[in-house]
């Protein structure tokens, strides 16, 4: 279970915090809240019920705290008491974080108040206790009781962090010019307090600069397998090896947060303010849960099943889920499988990890590993099993071999093959497993070799126009050598240091989404700031490496004779017309006008030629009409399904050309009529099988650019058989 944690944020909201310094575009308070909001929203996003946060306002206009009877605690207000914050609490706090009209208020007294809040909340229970003070160091501070405060912080094991606006920090490289004497004295006082209680003292600029560093979410180990590792047959032989082990994830893809569906509700009438295709999710009392802060209601999706029924409303009839049967697609039909038959596909297995053999290191190809990896350790508290796992790991390491094992996670579950590799570290020893593919999972493709050309007669050519010569090979080798990341950086001693370290390669999409969510929860309308540099660092080669390798890249371009390809035309209307090499105008030489028609004997080339000679919408419509008539004639005169493949090819040509000619409406209108003819038997016979081929080839309505068809209409066109 995660440790319980309490944190008190003391934020200076004095009048002086509303000013702008050091050339920043934000006031000191808004700049300081960048750090505070990031920390608070990070905890809120974790949704931990064991983490509590409180916020104290320093130098506020009013006084609101338990110690207000003492004058030293005036102008200090508890803005948020300890609780798990919600989005509504964040929005309320956001309106409270504005500069006040006074600079009166003692930061040391605010620390005492924070200690009081923590003591009241935690009592003698085990908590991680933190106080974060953010201030500009201006105003009066009473340091007479520093020794007593230090002792209390140490006794309660409270971690104190003081972050100052424009505080001096020699190590960070910042020193404020013309610092007021009162602020310098307060800085020294706060620094002495932190040193006495082993706290943290620093300038706010450094803390904000580190906010872009992605936070690694701690994960609690959860065993996915607690059974026996077996070698041999323990039921038949006493010499078989049986080790009680546990299996934990080692590497697993962490995915970004996913969006959920919500419905906005009217606060007065309770009716939806917008349409929704989902239904509201009631609570245990049958009421619709609503958020008091943003008036949103969670939704759940509803699904219904319908079949074609001419007697039903709209030609359909709803079928209960209980009446559905399962089946498998077999060709163009479905084979019904009863519940009793469904049990046949389940193997009778028992949960265990059984070693089936061993292979040398060199016989395993790295690409054979599937998905995530796991570690296998001995059962906790079982010293005999720990010794056995250690012995097996050392034995595999000594003979330089892997173990291949059959893993069944739970009884009656399908087995998988895993590879067991030894992992021996200074503080622990274990086995690492990765799933292996079955024979059906391997995709074996044969591609032509890159270093030779094999002719049809079987002759092997080492020199060919498609093969690189030695000059090109040398140029490529030099370019690759000068793009080496392993020697780009240097350590303190001048030795080469790796540039791309996997421990610093963070997932851009994961942390970018999380940062955007945190920012938007506090700033509903402001534009989301750009991603931090650390997330985009490896999205392009280092500039220093590009500059160093530029001469070798130029040599490579010259050796490989690279030429720029002209941009491809987006529309047939912009395609240049072909002209004879002689430059003669054939239309003026040849008598009469060219015959514009699609030849049924050679439809596709003549269709292309007709479109090339057409420059008006009527001509395009005429060509499409003629091609459509030819397609219908192919279906009408087809012997069985003999002409179906050719008709499908003509359909592709018609659809693609209408899209290229920016006239998808011609295709959509014709396709609707053609579908009705095919399914209605108007093409001299039952050609519903041809409609099945159209659905397979996705020859439906076009819903892209220049089309009035929506995505829902396009999907419904292919899904409905009427």
């Amino acid at each position: 279970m995660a440790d319980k944690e309490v944190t008190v944020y003391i934020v200076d909201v004095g009048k002086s915090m509303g000013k702008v310094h050091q050339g920043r575009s934000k006031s000191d308070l808004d700049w300081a809240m960048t750090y505070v909001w990031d920390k608070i929203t990070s905890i809120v996003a974790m949704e931990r019920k064991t983490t509590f946060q409180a916020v104290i306002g320093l130098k506020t206009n009013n006084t609101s705290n338990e110690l207000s009877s003492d004058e030293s605690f005036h102008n200090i207000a508890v803005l948020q008491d300890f609780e798990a914050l919600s989005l509504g609490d964040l929005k309320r706090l956001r309106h409270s974080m504005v500069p006040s009209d006074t600079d009166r208020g003692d930061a040391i007294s605010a620390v005492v108040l924070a200690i009081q809040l923590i003591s009241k909340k935690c009592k003698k229970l085990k908590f991680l206790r933190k106080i974060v003070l953010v201030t500009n160091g201006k105003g009066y501070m009473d340091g007479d009781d520093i020794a007593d405060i230090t002792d209390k912080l140490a006794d309660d094991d409270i971690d104190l962090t003081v972050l100052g606006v424009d505080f001096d920090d020699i190590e960070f490289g910042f020193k404020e010019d013309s610092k007021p004497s009162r602020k310098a004295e307060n800085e020294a006082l706060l620094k002495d307090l932190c040193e006495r209680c082993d706290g943290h003292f620093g300038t706010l600029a450094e803390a904000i600069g580190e906010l872009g560093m992605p936070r690694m979410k701690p994960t609690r180990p959860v065993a996915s397998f607690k059974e026996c590792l077996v070698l041999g047959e323990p039921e038949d032989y006493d010499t078989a090896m049986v080790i009680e082990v546990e299996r934990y994830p080692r590497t697993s893809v962490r995915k970004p947060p996913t969006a959920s569906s919500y419905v906005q509700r009217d606060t007065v009438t309770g009716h939806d303010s917008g349409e929704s295709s989902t239904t509201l999710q009631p609570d245990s009392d049958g009421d619709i849960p609503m958020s008091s802060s943003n008036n949103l209601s969670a939704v759940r999706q509803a699904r219904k099943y319908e079949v074609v029924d001419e007697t039903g409303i709209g030609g359909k009839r709803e079928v209960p889920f209980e009446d559905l049967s399962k089946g498998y697609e077999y060709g163009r039909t479905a084979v019904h499988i009863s519940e009793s038959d469904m049990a046949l596909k389940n193997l009778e297995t028992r949960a265990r990890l059984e070693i089936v053999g061993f292979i040398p290191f060199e016989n395993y190809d790295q690409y054979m590993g599937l998905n995530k990896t796991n570690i296998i350790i001995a059962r906790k508290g079982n010293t005999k099993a720990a010794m056995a796992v250690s012995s097996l790991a050392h034995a595999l390491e000594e003979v330089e071999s892997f173990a291949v094992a059959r893993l069944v996670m739970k009884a009656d579950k399908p087995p998988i093959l895993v590879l067991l590799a030894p992992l021996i570290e200074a503080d622990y020893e274990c086995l690492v497993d990765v799933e292996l593919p079955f024979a059906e999972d391997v995709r074996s493709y044969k591609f032509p070799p890159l270093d030779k050309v094999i002719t049809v007669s079987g002759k092997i050519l080492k020199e060919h126009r498609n093969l690189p010569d030695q000059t090109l090979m040398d140029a490529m080798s030099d370019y690759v050598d000068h793009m080496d990341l392993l020697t780009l950086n240097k350590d303190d001693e001048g030795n080469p240091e790796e540039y791309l370290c996997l421990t610093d390669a963070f997932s851009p999409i994961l942390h970018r989404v999380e940062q955007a969510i945190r920012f938007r929860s506090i700033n509903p309308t402001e534009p989301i700031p750009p991603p931090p540099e650390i997330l985009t660092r490896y999205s392009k080669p280092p500039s220093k490496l590009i500059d160093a390798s530029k001469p070798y890249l130029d040599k490579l371009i010259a050796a490989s004779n690279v030429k720029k390809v002209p941009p491809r035309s987006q529309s047939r209307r912009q395609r240049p017309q072909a002209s004879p090499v002689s430059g003669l105008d054939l239309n003026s030489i040849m008598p009469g006008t060219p015959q514009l028609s699609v030849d049924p004997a050679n439809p596709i080339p003549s269709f292309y030629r007709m479109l090339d000679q057409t420059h008006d919408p009527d001509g395009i419509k005429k060509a499409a009409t003629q091609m459509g008539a030819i397609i219908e004639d192919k279906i009408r005169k087809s012997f069985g399904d003999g002409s179906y493949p050719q008709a499908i090819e003509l359909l592709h040509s018609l659809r693609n050309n209408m899209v290229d000619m920016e006239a998808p409406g011609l295709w959509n209108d014709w396709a609707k009529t053609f579908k009705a003819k095919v399914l209605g038997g108007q093409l001299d016979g039952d050609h519903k099988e041809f409609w099945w081929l159209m659905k397979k080839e996705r020859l439906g309505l076009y819903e892209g650019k220049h089309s009035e068809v929506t995505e829902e209409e396009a999907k419904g066109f292919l899904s409905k058989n009427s």
Side-chain angles (χ1 to χ4, degrees), residues 557-573:
I557 293 175
S560 56
N561 194 24
V562 175
K563 296 181 180 179
K564 185 177 181 179
V565 178
R568 184 178 180 181
S569 176
Q570 297 297 323
S571 172
R572 286 187 176 273
R573 291 182 175 181

Side-chain angles (χ1 to χ4, degrees), residues 3-131:
D3 294 331
K4 295 181 179 180
E5 180 179 331
V6 293
T7 304
V8 179
Y9 293 95
I10 305 174
V11 182
D12 188 340
V13 295
K15 182 179 180 180
S16 59
M17 289 288 286
K19 299 180 180 180
V20 179
H21 296 91
Q22 302 297 328
R24 292 186 290 266
S25 59
K26 296 181 178 180
S27 65
D28 291 348
L29 178 58
D30 292 339
W31 186 57
M33 289 307 298
T34 302
Y35 172 84
V36 177
W37 286 136
D38 186 87
K39 293 299 182 181
I40 293 178
T41 54
S42 297
I43 298 299
V44 173
M46 295 175 63
E47 297 182 334
R48 288 177 51 184
K49 297 181 179 180
T50 58
T51 301
F52 306 93
Q53 301 176 97
V55 180
I56 295 177
L58 173 63
K59 302 176 185 176
T60 56
N61 291 326
N62 63 325
T63 301
S64 176
N65 61 78
E66 297 179 349
L67 307 178
S68 58
S69 58
D70 190 336
E71 184 179 357
S72 59
F73 291 93
H74 286 185
N75 298 104
I76 300 176
V78 178
L79 304 178
Q80 174 66 49
D81 207 344
F82 281 120
E83 64 180 55
L85 298 180
S86 63
L87 183 60
D89 298 326
L90 295 180
K91 291 185 176 181
R92 182 177 53 78
L93 270 177
R94 182 170 177 266
H95 294 299
S96 303
M97 292 301 173
V98 293
S100 65
D101 300 327
T102 180
D103 275 329
R104 299 185 60 184
D106 185 6
I108 302 298
S109 298
V111 173
V112 175
L113 178 60
I115 296 174
Q116 170 71 13
L117 291 178
I118 292 177
S119 300
K120 182 179 178 181
K121 173 67 177 179
C122 302
K123 299 181 174 62
K124 296 298 182 179
L125 302 177
K126 184 179 180 181
F127 275 85
L128 296 178
R129 313 172 189 210
K130 299 179 182 179
I131 296 177

Side-chain angles (χ1 to χ4, degrees), residues 536-551:
T536 59
R537 177 183 301 172
Y538 301 123
S539 61
K540 55 185 178 181
S543 57
K544 182 169 63 174
L545 203 61
I546 294 177
D547 296 339
S549 60
K550 183 64 168 58

Side-chain angles (χ1 to χ4, degrees), residues 655 667-672 698-704 707 709-710 713-715 717-718:
R655 187 180 192 271
W667 160 261
N668 292 334
D669 295 340
W670 180 87
K672 295 176 182 178
R698 309 300 297 174
L699 286 168
L701 302 181
Y702 179 76
E703 75 279 5
S707 175
V709 175
T710 63
E713 291 181 70
K715 291 181 179 179
F717 179 80
L718 288 179

Side-chain angles (χ1 to χ4, degrees), residues 133-423:
L133 170 61
V134 181
T135 178
N136 60 2
K138 297 180 180 180
Y140 173 75
M141 294 187 189
D142 184 4
D144 295 341
D145 298 327
I146 287 293
D148 296 336
I149 296 174
T150 302
D151 294 338
K152 183 61 176 177
L153 290 171
D155 294 341
D156 292 353
D157 195 18
I158 299 176
D159 181 38
L160 175 64
T161 299
V162 176
L163 298 175
V165 178
D166 299 330
F167 278 15
D168 295 341
D169 192 328
I170 304 302
E171 295 181 359
F172 181 69
F174 177 80
K175 182 175 178 61
E176 185 181 13
D177 298 330
S178 303
K179 186 187 295 291
S181 58
R182 168 70 60 87
K183 182 175 181 179
E185 294 174 0
N186 291 338
E187 279 189 41
L189 177 62
L190 294 175
K191 186 175 183 179
D192 179 59
L193 174 62
C194 291
E195 290 177 349
R196 286 169 176 252
C197 64
D198 294 330
H200 309 279
F201 179 88
T203 184
L204 187 61
E206 182 179 7
I208 293 179
E210 295 177 353
L211 293 181
M213 177 64 66
R215 296 168 178 81
M216 304 302 292
K217 182 179 179 180
T219 56
R220 184 168 59 94
V222 178
S224 60
F225 178 81
K226 289 185 178 182
E227 295 295 339
C228 295
L229 171 62
V230 177
L231 177 59
E233 295 291 341
E235 294 82 3
D236 301 330
Y237 303 98
D238 296 337
T239 57
M241 181 184 71
V242 180
I243 308 174
E244 294 183 345
V245 295
E246 297 178 352
R247 186 173 183 252
Y248 294 90
R250 177 65 180 231
T251 59
S252 182
V253 177
R254 183 183 168 192
K255 298 180 180 180
T258 56
S260 302
S261 298
Y262 293 90
V263 170
Q264 184 116 15
R265 303 278 297 179
D266 188 88
T267 55
V268 178
T269 63
H271 295 293
D272 294 351
S273 59
E275 295 182 355
S276 174
S277 60
T278 52
T279 57
L280 298 177
Q281 174 68 56
D283 56 16
S284 58
D285 298 328
D287 298 327
I288 301 299
M290 298 178 62
S291 171
S292 59
S293 58
N294 51 24
N295 198 23
L296 295 179
S297 297
V299 297
R300 62 178 177 87
Q301 294 183 348
R303 178 179 296 179
K304 63 180 180 179
Y305 302 89
E306 297 177 338
V307 296
V308 178
D309 188 354
E310 300 297 339
T311 62
I313 301 177
K316 299 177 182 178
R317 177 170 56 88
E318 187 172 348
V319 179
F321 176 77
E322 295 76 14
D323 294 346
L324 301 180
S325 299
K326 292 186 178 181
Y328 289 91
E329 184 178 354
Y330 185 70
R332 299 171 188 173
T333 61
V335 178
H336 170 65
I337 301 295
S338 63
E339 291 295 334
S340 59
D341 293 336
M342 291 291 292
L344 297 177
K345 72 175 186 178
N346 298 328
L347 297 177
E348 294 183 1
T349 56
R350 55 181 175 179
R352 67 163 46 177
L353 178 61
E354 184 176 359
I355 296 177
V356 297
F358 303 90
I359 60 172
F361 287 168
E362 60 271 12
N363 288 4
Y364 172 70
D365 297 321
Q366 297 295 329
Y367 62 82
M368 298 295 286
L370 299 177
N371 54 53
K372 60 184 181 182
T373 60
N374 301 271
I375 61 172
I376 296 176
I377 62 174
R379 188 75 61 86
K380 293 181 180 179
N382 192 332
T383 56
K384 183 178 179 180
M387 183 65 69
V389 171
S390 175
S391 301
L392 179 58
H394 279 276
L396 292 174
E397 184 73 23
E398 291 178 4
V399 298
E400 298 182 349
S401 295
F402 297 123
V404 178
R406 178 178 180 269
L407 173 62
V408 178
M409 298 293 295
K410 294 181 180 179
D412 297 330
K413 293 293 182 180
I416 61 175
L417 286 178
V418 295
L419 186 82
L420 303 181
L423 178 61

